[in-house]
Amino acid sequence: MASRACPCGLPGTYQDCCGRLHRGDSAAATAEQLMRSRFSAFAVGDEAYLLRTWLPSARPAGSVQDRRVKWTRLEVLESSGGSVVHTEGTVRFRAHYLDRGRPGEMEEHSRFVRYEGRWVYAGAL
C-alpha cells in the first residue's frame, strides 16, 4: 500500500499520510486528522490503532471491525473545535463502504477529546 492513495481522501500516499500515524511516527494534530486516520485504519484493517485512539472509558471490549465490510471513501461534512489549541472537537462525516459487495454509507457526528495530550475518539453524538 506504500504508493497507493491514502484512504482518508487527502492528497498523498498512505505511507506519508495516515500510515505515519498508524506506525506511531507522529500523532494527529487535530480532531479531523484523527478522524481521517481512524477511517484509514478501518480501510486497511489496523484494529490496534483504532483501539489505541479510542477514549479508554468509551472503548468497546470486543473487536471493532467487521471483516466483511470494505471502507471505500470518506467525506468530511463539517468540523468544529478540534484544532491544536482546543481540548474538544467534533467532526461530522459520511463514510462509504461495500458490505459483501453491496454499496452503503453511514453518517456520524463524532466527538473527540484530548486524553493524555493526544486526540482520541470519545464516541458519536
Side-chain angles (χ1 to χ4, degrees), residues 73-109:
R73 186 167 60 92
L74 175 68
E75 295 175 78
V76 173
L77 305 173
E78 70 177 286
S79 62
S80 73
S83 77
V84 294
V85 298
H86 293 106
T87 57
E88 293 190 18
T90 65
V91 180
R92 193 168 64 86
F93 66 92
R94 184 176 300 124
H96 299 264
Y97 61 86
L98 294 172
D99 184 353
R100 289 169 251 167
R102 290 189 166 151
E105 61 183 49
M106 59 92 55
E107 193 170 310
E108 182 175 300
H109 196 176

Side-chain angles (χ1 to χ4, degrees), residues 8 10 18 21 27-40 49 53 74 76 78-93 108-115 117-123 125:
C8 81
L10 292 177
C18 291
L21 301 174
T30 66
E32 182 178 325
Q33 187 181 29
L34 179 68
M35 190 279 309
R36 287 179 178 279
S37 71
R38 286 177 54 82
F39 175 83
S40 290
Y49 181 79
T53 58
L74 175 68
V76 173
E78 70 177 286
S79 62
S80 73
S83 77
V84 294
V85 298
H86 293 106
T87 57
E88 293 190 18
T90 65
V91 180
R92 193 168 64 86
F93 66 92
E108 182 175 300
H109 196 176
S110 300
R111 181 173 165 259
F112 298 87
V113 298
R114 285 200 188 265
Y115 176 78
R118 293 182 179 239
W119 285 108
V120 293
Y121 173 70
L125 294 173

